[in-house]
Amino acid sequence: MAQATQEFGEWPLKRLMTEVCGSGHKSADDLTRAQATEAFERVLADEPDSTTLGAFWLANRWKRNTPEELGAYVDVMCERVEYAEPDADPVDCGANYDGKGRSAILGVAAGVVAAAAGTPVVVHSGDRVPTQKQDAYKHVLDELGVHTELTPSDSADMVDETGFGFYYQPAFNPAIDDLFDRRDMMGVRTFVNTIETLANPAGASVHLGSFYHLAFAKKVVDTFVESEFHDLDRVLMFQGMEGYDDVRPGYTKVAEWDAAGGSDGDGESDGDEAGSEGASFDDFEIETAEYGMDLEEADLAVDDVAAESAAITGEVLAGERDGAFADAVAVNAALRIYAREDADSIEAGLETAREAIDDGSALAVLEELRAF
């Protein structure tokens, strides 16, 4: 232990548990940035005993992480990420990596439509990530015949050649991938499930994500601000299905953060509640039926998530399918277009998205992806 202390500092995880964060969610203290940094460096170096690591992860879950802690964890992770930035500046979509098990994954179709409309999009995921180990972006793309186990450099080329790119976690974020077995043994989600979605492997200036409660969107924004690695211009998040970046049908909330400040009129600037000084954080409510997505969550349910999502994607992009899935893809594409400010409203993004489907541009992008 003396060697570990000399190498890492003064805060092994057991000491953090005893003196800082291990006394329960009501009485535990938060870690300083320095403590959180050292803790995660130890974790990624495989230094802690398995029991201690599990206890530390649970303690973080009980007490709930602060943006300062999460920002430190993100920065330690990002130091080990292999970044490959395309010439294009895409929208970064890092959905929950442990996947979906009940409803179709629409992000591939929505991203391809957005790309066809002129908004480059990057998606990233792992392969059966704990705890759910269900279907994610990779599995839909595999079913579509698109190569997914790419080097980061190849992923960047994919973005520039097609407008849509997939980054594979084991290739660009091997340090987190190496935690697979320990995470699997936990049986519950940890802060790793949050930070891995914020890796931003393409170095995008816009992040798109989802939340269940608005407080989580504010925490993500504050985490990006606390991160010394990331320097984003915009973050757009909305209430998603199964924690994924597919917008929830019906009455739902959207959160929008702009580093430059200002408001587009859909919501009221609220920079004091999230983000940094001079920035704006707006949240506003939408009814998806007003954008043509007049359906219930049950209408998007499927039995085989990967296979059926791929089939739906191909049919919608080819203009061979209308109804609930086509409407949902168009709205999700519109949100990506709006996130990058390639349209000044969701309505304008929706019009552009539908044109990209109708004129065959979206199907052409899919064919380019298959040929890449």
Side-chain angles (χ1 to χ4, degrees):
M1 182 59 69
Q3 182 180 357
T5 301
Q6 183 177 358
E7 180 181 352
F8 292 105
E10 300 178 354
W11 290 99
L13 265 60
K14 183 177 180 181
R15 183 183 177 195
L16 286 171
M17 289 293 298
T18 303
E19 300 183 23
V20 183
C21 64
S23 58
H25 70 280
K26 291 185 177 181
S27 57
D29 291 326
D30 297 321
L31 279 65
T32 65
R33 168 175 281 275
Q35 289 170 334
T37 297
E38 180 181 340
F40 204 39
E41 286 175 344
R42 288 175 179 270
V43 171
L44 295 184
D46 199 22
E47 185 263 353
D49 171 85
S50 296
T51 302
T52 306
L53 175 59
F56 177 74
W57 272 340
L58 279 178
N60 276 257
R61 181 182 173 94
W62 288 334
K63 78 171 192 64
R64 299 181 182 179
N65 288 118
T66 66
E68 182 178 32
E69 292 169 335
L70 291 172
Y73 297 148
V74 165
D75 287 349
V76 171
M77 172 186 70
C78 288
E79 289 175 357
R80 294 156 175 80
V81 168
E82 182 178 342
Y83 283 87
E85 297 186 11
D87 293 333
D89 185 12
V91 176
D92 171 68
C93 301
N96 63 320
Y97 277 26
D98 48 359
K100 274 190 178 189
R102 302 186 304 275
S103 57
I105 294 172
L106 306 176
V108 171
V112 169
V113 171
T119 297
V121 171
V122 158
V123 301
H124 44 98
S125 78
D127 188 355
R128 312 292 179 197
V129 169
T131 55
Q132 295 178 156
K133 295 193 287 187
Q134 297 183 138
D135 293 313
Y137 279 130
K138 180 186 190 306
H139 309 109
V140 179
L141 290 164
D142 285 342
E143 291 282 346
L144 285 166
V146 177
H147 293 294
T148 56
E149 296 184 15
L150 304 170
T151 67
S153 177
D154 285 341
S155 296
D157 289 342
M158 177 185 278
V159 180
D160 285 329
E161 290 188 23
T162 72
F164 179 96
F166 174 75
Y167 285 69
Y168 185 40
Q169 185 186 48
F172 75 82
N173 201 353
I176 296 298
D177 185 59
D178 286 346
L179 293 176
F180 185 99
D181 290 339
R182 286 194 167 193
R183 294 171 67 187
D184 194 27
M185 292 299 292
M186 282 293 296
V188 296
R189 290 167 63 92
T190 70
F191 64 75
V192 179
N193 290 78
T194 297
I195 67 169
E196 66 187 347
T197 69
L198 310 183
N200 190 13
S205 60
V206 178
H207 174 80
L208 182 139
S210 66
F211 59 87
Y212 185 76
H213 296 294
L214 182 61
F216 182 75
K218 294 177 179 178
K219 182 173 287 190
V220 167
V221 167
D222 285 335
T223 296
F224 276 127
V225 171
E226 289 288 342
S227 168
E228 296 175 354
F229 187 91
H230 289 304
D231 185 21
L232 295 179
D233 293 335
R234 279 174 57 79
V235 175
L236 188 78
M237 301 184 71
F238 44 76
Q239 289 177 304
M241 295 182 62
E242 292 192 70
Y244 227 81
D245 53 14
D246 299 331
V247 67
R248 186 182 71 181
Y251 183 75
T252 188
K253 280 187 174 290
V254 179
E256 179 179 6
W257 177 80
D258 193 323
S263 174
D264 66 354
D266 286 324
E268 296 181 358
S269 180
D270 201 4
D272 291 337
E273 289 194 13
S276 56
E277 185 177 355
S280 66
F281 183 91
D282 308 332
D283 64 90
F284 52 95
E285 296 158 348
I286 64 171
E287 175 61 60
T288 61
E290 296 178 359
Y291 302 95
M293 186 177 166
D294 189 8
L295 49 100
E296 305 292 333
E297 286 194 34
D299 296 323
L300 301 178
V302 292
D303 294 322
D304 186 328
V305 172
E308 292 186 56
S309 296
I312 291 164
T313 296
E315 292 166 2
V316 169
L317 299 185
E320 298 171 351
R321 184 167 190 151
D322 54 18
F325 289 106
D327 293 337
V329 167
V331 172
N332 278 282
L335 286 164
R336 285 151 174 77
I337 295 167
Y338 173 70
R340 193 172 177 266
E341 298 184 292
D342 291 331
D344 59 11
S345 67
I346 299 172
E347 292 90 342
L350 183 62
E351 182 178 351
T352 305
R354 286 177 171 157
E355 289 174 356
I357 296 173
D358 292 342
D359 67 13
S361 300
L363 182 60
V365 171
L366 177 60
E367 294 304 326
E368 289 172 0
L369 285 168
R370 285 171 165 156
F372 181 83

